Amino acid sequence: MRRPGSVGDRAGGEPPDRAAFGASAAGAVGFAVTYAQGGNTRWEGACLAVAFAGLAVGLAVWARRLVPVGGYVEEHEGFTPPPTEQAMTAAELTAPDSPVRRRGLLAALGLALTALGAAALFPLRSLLPFDRARPERALKDTPWGPGVRLVDAAGRPVRPQDVPADSMVAVFPEGHVDTGDAPAFAVRLEPRRFSRPPAGGHLDGLVVWSLLCTHAGCPVRTYLKGTARVLCPCHQSSFDLLAGARPVAGPAARALPGLPIEEGPDGFLHATGDFTAPPGAGFWDSP
């Protein structure tokens, strides 16, 4: 005789454990799709939360349905359940509506676990040397590239004549004014004063370098006229623009990366490639 609250009494409705496993599989698939399309940390976190929450809820509900429901009192706790309890448990597990015998539930659990395992392979793939989405590649690649126009902080395209002689103008890749590793500065110098050619070349003395100090990534905002040097106010690193923007004072050990430029048919300045080296702090370029 079945007790109230047993598996047989709950068989009338749709089991929530199967739905939970289905939600877990959907969350894992959503994480994989979001990661494969470029990644979005908020959506990836939400998908993983749904995947693991669905798996946890499904396992909890399934476990609750596996054991008999009710209170039992025994005077002495033993290692072996009483024969009556063993018989009742066996009856529950071997009944036609037992969760153990429901192939659909086991298939849903298998689908959830398989989807989670497959989703875990996507981040692991990023560690392979041929994957363009590797973390180290993301640190070295910036929005600059062939044909990208130089714009000012307001998003206005920059012409060569917009950069006065012996002055510093902040420039950004068009459409990426707020990107952290993209800021650069343009300066016009006398080509005959160069003791070392700029790494990115120059356009009649017009040169563009990364705005980020190679020590800790602070912006080099101070331009020393006459000496053609820029100074980082954070740790006092100084770079000689006439000598390829190499550091001449302070803790910085790398020269500022240069940006190759050209004047496009529209009269505005365009980049012809990315920075000549990874911008910012030197540890981003670890081997």
Side-chain angles (χ1 to χ4, degrees):
M1 178 179 180
R2 296 185 182 273
R3 289 167 291 98
S6 64
V7 174
D9 294 332
R10 294 193 301 269
E14 179 67 20
D17 41 12
R18 184 182 302 179
F21 289 146
S24 177
V29 172
F31 169 82
V33 172
T34 303
Y35 189 92
Q37 291 182 349
N40 181 297
T41 53
R42 295 182 180 179
W43 281 107
E44 288 172 353
C47 290
L48 284 180
V50 172
F52 285 110
L55 185 63
V57 171
L59 290 175
V61 174
W62 189 31
R64 184 71 177 87
R65 295 166 63 87
L66 283 174
V67 297
V69 179
Y72 300 92
V73 178
E74 55 184 10
E75 296 182 2
H76 300 283
E77 182 179 356
F79 294 99
T80 303
T84 303
E85 184 176 339
Q86 296 183 39
M88 294 175 62
T89 302
E92 291 288 347
L93 297 179
T94 58
D97 55 357
S98 171
V100 177
R101 303 186 63 180
R102 288 165 49 202
R103 296 183 179 179
L105 176 62
L106 295 177
L109 174 61
L111 176 62
L113 294 176
T114 302
L116 280 172
L121 297 179
F122 282 81
L124 294 178
R125 182 178 180 273
S126 297
L127 301 178
L128 300 177
F130 58 81
D131 187 12
R132 296 185 60 85
R134 295 185 68 187
E136 68 178 48
R137 288 181 180 270
L139 294 174
K140 294 182 178 181
D141 295 336
T142 73
W144 292 108
V148 177
R149 288 199 300 184
L150 281 65
V151 299
D152 59 17
R156 296 184 295 264
V158 177
R159 300 177 183 271
Q161 55 268 30
D162 294 333
V163 183
D166 205 24
S167 63
M168 179 179 177
V169 177
V171 293
F172 308 85
E174 188 172 25
H176 298 275
V177 175
D178 297 327
T179 303
D181 58 355
F185 69 91
V187 62
R188 186 182 296 277
L189 304 169
E190 287 289 339
R192 58 182 176 82
R193 298 178 61 192
F194 289 131
S195 61
R196 179 182 300 178
H202 66 91
L203 186 64
D204 295 330
L206 180 61
V207 194
V208 179
W209 278 287
S210 171
L211 191 66
L212 304 182
C213 178
T214 54
H215 170 239
C218 299
V220 287
R221 296 185 179 275
T222 304
Y223 179 68
L224 306 178
K225 293 184 177 181
T227 61
R229 293 183 178 182
V230 290
L231 178 68
C232 175
C234 292
H235 305 98
Q236 306 305 309
S237 292
S238 180
F239 301 87
D240 188 353
L241 302 184
L242 298 176
R246 65 180 180 87
V248 293
R254 287 194 306 130
L256 294 176
L259 182 71
I261 59 171
E262 66 178 1
E263 182 178 359
D266 54 2
F268 296 108
L269 292 174
H270 293 252
T272 60
D274 204 342
F275 287 121
T276 56
F283 53 81
W284 292 138
D285 198 28
S286 59

